[in-house]
Amino acid sequence: MSNDIGTRPGPRGHLAGIAMAAAVLALTSVAAQPADDIKAPTGYRNWFHVNTMIIDKGSPLFESLGGMHNVHVNSVGEAALKKGGPYPDRTVFVTDLHEFSIADGSYVMGKLKGIAVMVKDAKKYAATGGWGFQVFAGDPKKPIVADAVKQCFECHAPQKNQDYVYSTYIP
């Protein structure tokens, strides 16, 4: 989940990386307890902003992923982002998903819908390419990822050559 920003995702780029997490956000009514203790970090909006992406009604992904996605990376991962990976342990990506409106031709960020978090720990998360994943629906205390392999990693697996990260740096 993560997406999570000075980078530009491809057409399937960052969207595919959080597609499963957002679909779970839209379809899950009961929050599952995280098996890996990933918490929604505080202060991430002061981290390096990788990019912002808007999925509007023109996208087939609007129902599950519609909104304004802001991707941030912590200082541990910023240098690796700029080099194109690989990412060191303790790298964290956060993607916050917001509602949006359009006023006078401008997209305006609205209410927070959820937060997707990716945490690098090669040993702890070896089964998912070294990354732990969690998504928090609205309230950052409500984790919803119960199976990181199916809900997150399957979408990130095609990005193995980029250390499973969709976001890329654009100077």
Side-chain angles (χ1 to χ4, degrees), residues 8 10 49 69 93 104 107 120 125 161 169:
R8 181 182 309 151
H49 179 249
H69 302 248
F93 280 92
D104 298 323
Y107 287 83
K120 182 72 178 266
Y125 304 114
N161 290 338
Y169 178 69

Side-chain angles (χ1 to χ4, degrees), residues 14-164:
H14 183 67
L15 289 177
I18 64 172
M20 184 58 81
V24 170
L25 246 173
L27 299 174
T28 304
S29 60
V30 177
Q33 293 299 315
D36 50 20
D37 297 330
I38 293 174
K39 306 286 186 224
T42 59
Y44 67 86
R45 296 193 95 196
N46 294 317
W47 297 356
F48 183 77
H49 179 249
V50 180
N51 72 4
T52 296
M53 172 184 56
I54 297 172
I55 299 176
D56 65 16
K57 291 179 182 176
S59 171
L61 299 172
F62 182 76
E63 283 299 313
S64 61
L65 289 173
M68 183 177 286
H69 302 248
N70 301 297
V71 181
H72 297 84
V73 66
N74 68 357
S75 60
V76 175
E78 184 178 347
L81 172 76
K82 291 177 178 179
K83 289 188 299 187
Y87 294 91
D89 281 357
R90 298 184 300 112
T91 294
V92 179
F93 280 92
V94 175
T95 300
D96 58 18
L97 172 59
H98 292 261
E99 294 176 357
F100 70 94
S101 60
I102 303 172
D104 298 323
S106 297
Y107 287 83
V108 180
M109 186 167 64
K111 180 182 173 187
L112 179 68
K113 293 171 71 173
I115 298 171
V117 181
M118 286 178 62
V119 177
K120 182 72 178 266
D121 185 325
K123 193 179 289 187
K124 185 175 184 178
Y125 304 114
T128 51
W131 291 95
F133 300 89
Q134 190 50 269
V135 175
F136 301 89
D139 180 347
K141 295 180 180 109
K142 293 182 181 178
I144 62 172
V145 173
D147 184 341
V149 172
K150 292 194 180 304
Q151 293 173 291
C152 304
F153 185 66
E154 286 180 358
C155 292
H156 283 262
Q159 293 302 110
K160 184 176 182 177
N161 290 338
Q162 288 184 192
D163 199 6
Y164 304 99

